[in-house]
Amino acid sequence: MQTGTLYIVPTPIGNLGDMTLRAVEVLRDADLILSEDTRTSGKLLKHFQVDTPQRSYHMHNEHRLVDGLVAEVGSGRKLALISDAGTPGISDPGFLLVRACIQAGHRVECLPGPTAFVPALVNSGFPTDRFVFEGFLPPKKGRQTRLGELAEETRTMVFYESPHKLLKTLDQLAEHFGPGREIAVCRELTKLYEETLRGSLEEMAAHFREHPPKGEFVLVVRGAAGA
Ligand code: SAM
């Protein structure tokens, strides 16, 4: 039986100029594009003159769809997975389908491309030789435990956060890591109001009390000293 390929295709996190030539080629050449939100992706695809059909694939239907999609790849089709922004599988749906395709012996290819944590990490000025990607902290259950575990982490830590939870997270990080621990707060990467603010957890919490957070954020925290 002929086997197809599952392509994981990163899309811009704000600036359309970050779409790669290969991402456009792969999306044009695919038999089907799996999109987190077909309306959002519809605009992107139109901009890049991609007319491949889309099907919706998101956190609420992925469990139900995985087996059928694996069978489609197995029958020789080329499926391309995209998310609303950045790299699928990075704090976005993707992992389940990648794992299932690998288990079925199908070809999986992830293109390099936009993702928010890499520019944030590099912009932070903290060591990049070793780091941990923590994504979103657990919203409730397990949150305090996770923060407790990370207090002694010596590698640079990267977190994703939404604007409405930013202050609470900065306060909790200060509580667990100490108010003087250094942080870089990266906002609106690749967009018009992109900025990176650097200082202590206490200073950043004070700043965002004065200037209510707006936009998308990546937090990069210096690892614990020692070790
Ligand atoms: N798949 C994406 C990636 O590869 O980075 C991440 C998707 S996750 C649902 C969305 C989170 O990513 C946001 O809450 C924010 O923490 C981060 N993010 C995405 N775009 C960003 C941007 N332009 N500037 C800062 N953070 C961003």
Side-chain angles (χ1 to χ4, degrees):
M1 198 206 292
Q2 192 192 8
T3 175
T5 300
L6 171 68
Y7 292 96
I8 308 300
V9 183
T11 56
I13 57 166
N15 189 327
L16 285 181
D18 293 333
M19 187 78 174
T20 69
L21 295 173
R22 192 149 80 93
V24 175
E25 274 168 24
V26 167
L27 292 174
R28 281 188 187 147
D29 188 48
D31 296 304
L32 177 69
I33 296 173
L34 303 169
S35 312
E36 201 180 358
D37 181 328
T38 51
R39 267 215 245 169
T40 304
S41 297
K43 292 177 202 151
L44 179 89
L45 298 176
K46 191 167 177 217
H47 180 86
F48 288 103
Q49 290 150 10
V50 175
D51 55 17
T52 308
Q54 291 190 77
R55 193 184 297 164
S56 148
Y57 180 85
H58 48 70
M59 62 188 286
H60 302 294
N61 69 7
E62 57 178 345
H63 283 91
R64 187 161 47 82
L65 296 187
V66 160
D67 288 350
L69 294 171
V70 169
E72 287 192 46
V73 177
S75 73
R77 299 192 88 202
K78 286 179 272 184
L79 268 50
L81 176 66
I82 59 177
S83 65
D84 287 351
T87 302
I90 300 297
S91 296
D92 266 338
F95 161 69
L96 278 185
L97 187 56
V98 168
R99 181 179 62 180
C101 282
I102 292 169
Q103 282 170 350
H106 303 329
R107 187 177 149 77
V108 177
E109 193 176 326
C110 178
L111 274 62
T115 187
F117 80 88
V118 173
L121 171 69
V122 177
N123 267 344
S124 73
F126 300 145
T128 53
D129 51 345
R130 300 181 72 213
F131 64 90
V132 279
F133 175 71
E134 285 291 326
F136 292 100
L137 280 164
K140 290 196 182 92
K141 196 170 164 277
R143 189 174 172 96
Q144 297 293 334
T145 315
R146 177 75 55 86
L147 285 165
E149 285 164 4
L150 290 172
E152 300 307 319
E153 173 59 64
T154 55
R155 292 169 291 182
T156 301
M157 289 164 270
V158 186
F159 301 91
Y160 281 172
E161 196 45 284
S162 66
H164 67 278
K165 287 206 198 125
L166 180 75
L167 263 173
K168 176 181 157 193
T169 298
L170 288 173
D171 286 342
Q172 289 181 332
L173 287 169
E175 213 174 282
H176 285 85
F177 298 3
R181 183 78 75 91
E182 283 178 90
I183 181 170
V185 179
C186 300
R187 195 174 85 81
E188 297 286 85
L189 286 157
T190 79
K191 302 186 197 174
L192 189 60
Y193 296 107
E194 168 167 357
E195 63 177 350
T196 297
L197 301 166
R198 301 176 184 83
S200 66
L201 286 168
E202 196 173 35
E203 286 164 347
M204 287 301 113
H207 172 88
F208 285 106
R209 281 206 164 77
E210 290 255 318
H211 307 90
K214 282 195 199 116
E216 300 197 274
F217 290 86
V218 182
L219 311 180
V220 187
V221 183
R222 187 190 275 285

